[in-house]
Amino acid sequence: MAKQFKPETLCVQAGWSPKKGEPRVLPIYQSTTFKYDTSEQMARLFDLEDSGYFYTRLQNPTNDAVAAKIAALEGGVGAMLTSSGQAANFYAVFNICQAGDHFVCSSAIYGGTFNLFNVTMKKLGIDVTFVNPDDPEEEIAKAFRPNTKALFGETISNPALEVLDIEKFARIAHSHGVPLIVDNTFPTPINCRPFEWGADIVVHSTTKYMDGHATSVGGAIVDSGNFDWDAHAEKFPGLCTPDESYHGLTYTKAFGKMAYITKATAQLMRDLGSIQSPMNAFLLNLGLETLHLRMPQHCKNAKKVAEYLQKNDKVAWVNYCGLPGNKYYELAQKYMPNGSCGVISFGLKGGREVAIRFMDHLKLAAIVTHVADARTCVLHPASHTHRQLTDEQLIEAGVRPDLIRFSVGIENAEDIIADIEQALNA
């Protein structure tokens, strides 16, 4: 289906193709387990010799249909749903890294991901080096070591809204024989498809625009099928040497282009179990059906709000890559010519205290720990999501202490602007 249809059609149609007499709408397979007629049939599933369902922790028909839709949208060979975006980030890296390994990561990433990589994964013996994504290639290349296994970045960073030069990062990763993993949560595949620019693995927090209605936490990993693991077999023993927990099966030999995503499902999900519930996958699918309608509206509204803020004399600075003159405007035009996302960051004259007072006076925009859904919402990262970071770490992560993250919804833009105006005047 991915080959002949455009993204709008894939949003609505991909993943679920009912046969005669089957439900037209993707059903919720709310079952932990699946029946077989013979012991041999079940044994073949456990040996990965047949594909099918036996236990929802590994695979579920509802989840697989939604994963297939996301894979089609990104142009990948396969995908896996996870219980959250954090789980997707962890699995994406852990699938190819083990204790004693190292990876390189853009410093402009979401605070939760920064903490996962910088604190928790170090406890597992996996080291990380953060690099300034805007540095020249030769500077970023200095961070690589013989035991480096991946390069990671966010298409548009949350909440600093820095745009990643995907082609540059892909060149650096591939020249060191490692894959580029890109978190594409903010633009979604409607506005950017990182595989087309050289990325190898894409991750999503599906909680954001994909779900779109703040109903269900979830994540996804998508495999492009393009990275040649066997060409760098010594770096990736988990994929290129026999897995004793599956009777000595070697993923690259058994599954070819699907090696990475099959290992993530059959091994990591089997052992760690951060599965997305079928009910959440069903809700995510409803969101995906309108993703192509919502994203242009988010972008249109955000541009109007950003232009209003830019002209307001109470505003110290505005960061939105859709504004001409923005540091990332040219990169955004290259990778996301149809729009980026609906998230804006800005600071008010008077700094942190004024920012907090402004937020407390908003009526339509809600203060929530969320971002990127149908409703306009607002957050002060230094007080909320990033409060575990010092001011120095905040600045290193591209988050100024006075930064307000404003997620523009799909309401009427004039109503959103009027709300901002009354809060600024108050």
Side-chain angles (χ1 to χ4, degrees), residues 234-260:
E234 75 292 344
K235 275 187 184 287
F236 305 106
L239 287 162
C240 305
T241 60
D243 178 357
E244 292 318 315
S245 70
Y246 277 112
H247 309 296
L249 168 147
T250 301
Y251 292 100
T252 51
K253 285 195 176 75
F255 301 105
K257 283 183 174 293
M258 295 284 285
Y260 173 94

Side-chain angles (χ1 to χ4, degrees), residues 47-62:
D47 285 347
L48 302 184
E49 287 171 8
D50 283 353
S51 62
Y53 302 100
F54 51 92
Y55 198 58
T56 281
R57 187 176 75 235
L58 279 99
Q59 284 178 297
N60 173 285
T62 307

Side-chain angles (χ1 to χ4, degrees), residues 163-381:
V163 177
L164 186 73
D165 190 340
I166 304 169
E167 274 191 321
K168 178 177 90 172
F169 259 52
R171 266 197 311 274
I172 299 166
H174 298 155
S175 69
H176 290 87
V178 303
L180 171 60
I181 305 171
V182 172
D183 183 327
N184 195 35
T185 297
F186 271 11
T188 80
I190 298 302
N191 286 342
C192 182
R193 283 161 49 110
F195 293 154
E196 291 173 1
W197 303 99
D200 301 290
I201 311 293
V202 158
V203 288
H204 284 276
S205 167
T206 61
T207 318
K208 310 301 189 299
Y209 289 121
M210 282 187 166
D211 172 88
H213 302 84
T215 62
S216 34
V217 173
I221 304 172
V222 191
D223 184 358
S224 70
N226 294 335
F227 193 81
D228 188 347
W229 306 102
D230 278 327
H232 311 280
E234 75 292 344
K235 275 187 184 287
F236 305 106
L239 287 162
C240 305
T241 60
D243 178 357
E244 292 318 315
S245 70
Y246 277 112
H247 309 296
L249 168 147
T250 301
Y251 292 100
T252 51
K253 285 195 176 75
F255 301 105
K257 283 183 174 293
M258 295 284 285
Y260 173 94
I261 205 70
T262 304
K263 178 179 180 287
T265 306
Q267 194 190 76
L268 298 190
M269 197 58 89
R270 175 196 67 190
D271 294 347
L272 297 168
S274 307
I275 191 75
Q276 189 166 137
S277 77
M279 183 72 217
N280 277 12
F282 174 82
L283 292 169
L284 166 58
N285 190 56
L286 291 181
L288 287 168
E289 287 180 0
T290 60
L291 183 64
H292 61 293
L293 300 174
R294 291 182 284 105
M295 287 312 289
Q297 186 64 27
H298 280 292
C299 294
K300 199 169 85 178
N301 280 357
K303 193 159 189 288
K304 286 180 182 168
V305 171
E307 286 166 349
Y308 164 80
L309 290 168
Q310 206 175 27
K311 293 193 190 97
N312 193 297
D313 58 5
K314 290 177 180 161
V315 176
W317 57 272
V318 182
N319 182 21
Y320 184 64
C321 63
L323 288 175
N326 180 274
K327 182 181 175 184
Y328 296 100
Y329 181 75
E330 299 305 328
L331 270 184
Q333 291 303 303
K334 173 180 172 177
Y335 294 119
M336 297 165 272
N338 299 323
S340 55
C341 67
V343 186
I344 296 168
S345 62
F346 62 96
L348 298 177
K349 290 173 184 169
R352 193 186 273 230
E353 295 313 309
V354 174
I356 291 165
R357 286 209 305 276
F358 160 75
M359 284 169 55
D360 290 348
H361 280 94
L362 289 165
K363 293 185 170 72
L364 184 140
I367 301 172
V368 295
T369 321
H370 197 46
V371 66
D373 78 58
R375 303 162 199 82
T376 296
C377 54
V378 66
L379 190 79
H380 182 237

Side-chain angles (χ1 to χ4, degrees), residues 372-409:
D373 78 58
R375 303 162 199 82
T376 296
C377 54
V378 66
L379 190 79
H380 182 237
S383 305
H384 306 137
T385 49
H386 290 58
R387 65 179 296 122
Q388 76 275 22
L389 303 184
T390 64
D391 277 7
E392 289 72 37
Q393 285 176 318
L394 282 170
I395 287 156
E396 191 191 336
V399 184
R400 307 186 205 194
D402 66 338
L403 181 148
I404 295 166
R405 183 183 73 181
F406 198 85
S407 178
V408 182

